[in-house]
Amino acid sequence: MWFLLLFIHLSSVYSRHVGEILCRQCGATLTRQSELINVTGVDKSLLAYEYDFPLTGKMTKVHVLSNPEGNKFHVFGAKTAHLHFHGTPQSTATWYPGYKWTVCLCKQCNKHLGWYFEVEKRTALDTITDKKNFVGLVLENVISADYVDTLPKTPDF
Ligand SMILES: *[C@@H]1O[C@H](CO)[C@@H](O)[C@H](O)[C@H]1NC(C)=O
Ligand SMILES: [Zn+2]
């Protein structure tokens, strides 16, 4: 009986996380499938390569980019995410021209998870192209809750 109760408990804990994207280090909820976007406007000269990745079952564009320190990141986009802003917005060395960036950390464990990209200046052109602020998340540092869902197994009676 105890394992049945345990299973019901695990199901209720995980099922409400369907489609969510979590911090790989601590499991904090960051964002969800409906927030994912294919980011456009990357500086091609800074882009190593790009590919489509099925994140929570939704094909999402991933940009492979390096910072001036030579660290390589696989970055995907979300409209919003629950993150802690670290430091002030920077305009130098931006991967997305026209955006300034702020480092984002996990609210729960402080792991570096990505950057908040904010439209630099509201010009007439920005309105026409409908440029919007977004979050760039590091693929290696997140995990899909749908994957976590597959871990508890139904007891075999
Ligand atoms: C990204 O683009 C692909 C193909 O162009 C599309 O299938 C997918 O749904 C898009 N993903 C998002 C998150 O908008
Ligand atoms: Zn975390």
Side-chain angles (χ1 to χ4, degrees), residues 23 25-28 106 108-111 113:
C23 170
Q25 181 158 283
C26 76
C106 177
Q108 199 165 285
C109 73
N110 273 341
K111 174 92 178 163
L113 296 176

Side-chain angles (χ1 to χ4, degrees), residues 113-132:
L113 296 176
W115 304 264
Y116 180 61
F117 292 96
E118 202 177 336
V119 178
E120 186 90 67
K121 216 185 291 162
R122 282 286 170 200
T123 66
L125 189 64
D126 288 333
T127 313
I128 293 162
T129 57
D130 203 23
K131 235 180 193 182
K132 287 199 171 69

Side-chain angles (χ1 to χ4, degrees), residues 98-153:
Y99 290 89
K100 50 188 174 181
W101 52 271
T102 307
V103 168
C104 290
L105 309 177
C106 177
K107 276 186 171 175
Q108 199 165 285
C109 73
N110 273 341
K111 174 92 178 163
H112 173 227
L113 296 176
W115 304 264
Y116 180 61
F117 292 96
E118 202 177 336
V119 178
E120 186 90 67
K121 216 185 291 162
R122 282 286 170 200
T123 66
L125 189 64
D126 288 333
T127 313
I128 293 162
T129 57
D130 203 23
K131 235 180 193 182
K132 287 199 171 69
N133 300 346
F134 68 93
V135 182
L137 290 161
V138 177
L139 185 60
E140 304 91 305
N141 295 352
V142 304
I143 191 162
S144 156
D146 300 347
Y147 170 72
V148 177
D149 265 349
T150 65
L151 300 180
K153 293 274 189 284

Side-chain angles (χ1 to χ4, degrees), residues 35-39 60-61 75-79 134-137:
E35 294 297 304
L36 294 174
I37 51 165
N38 285 332
V39 178
T60 308
K61 185 73 68 194
V75 181
F76 68 93
K79 282 179 267 184
F134 68 93
V135 182
L137 290 161

Side-chain angles (χ1 to χ4, degrees), residues 8-39:
I8 291 166
H9 175 68
L10 286 174
S11 307
S12 63
V13 166
Y14 290 117
S15 58
R16 60 197 161 91
H17 290 302
V18 168
E20 289 188 352
I21 293 164
L22 318 175
C23 170
R24 190 181 290 247
Q25 181 158 283
C26 76
T29 300
L30 307 173
T31 189
R32 54 187 311 110
Q33 191 202 52
S34 54
E35 294 297 304
L36 294 174
I37 51 165
N38 285 332
V39 178

Side-chain angles (χ1 to χ4, degrees), residues 24 37-39 42 44 47-55 58-65 72-77 96 137-142:
R24 190 181 290 247
I37 51 165
N38 285 332
V39 178
V42 65
K44 294 275 194 228
L47 182 68
Y49 59 99
E50 61 182 5
Y51 60 95
D52 290 320
F53 185 80
L55 196 57
K58 190 169 184 178
M59 276 300 177
T60 308
K61 185 73 68 194
V62 177
H63 291 147
V64 181
L65 297 153
K72 197 169 266 185
F73 302 97
H74 292 231
V75 181
F76 68 93
Y96 301 96
L137 290 161
V138 177
L139 185 60
E140 304 91 305
N141 295 352
V142 304

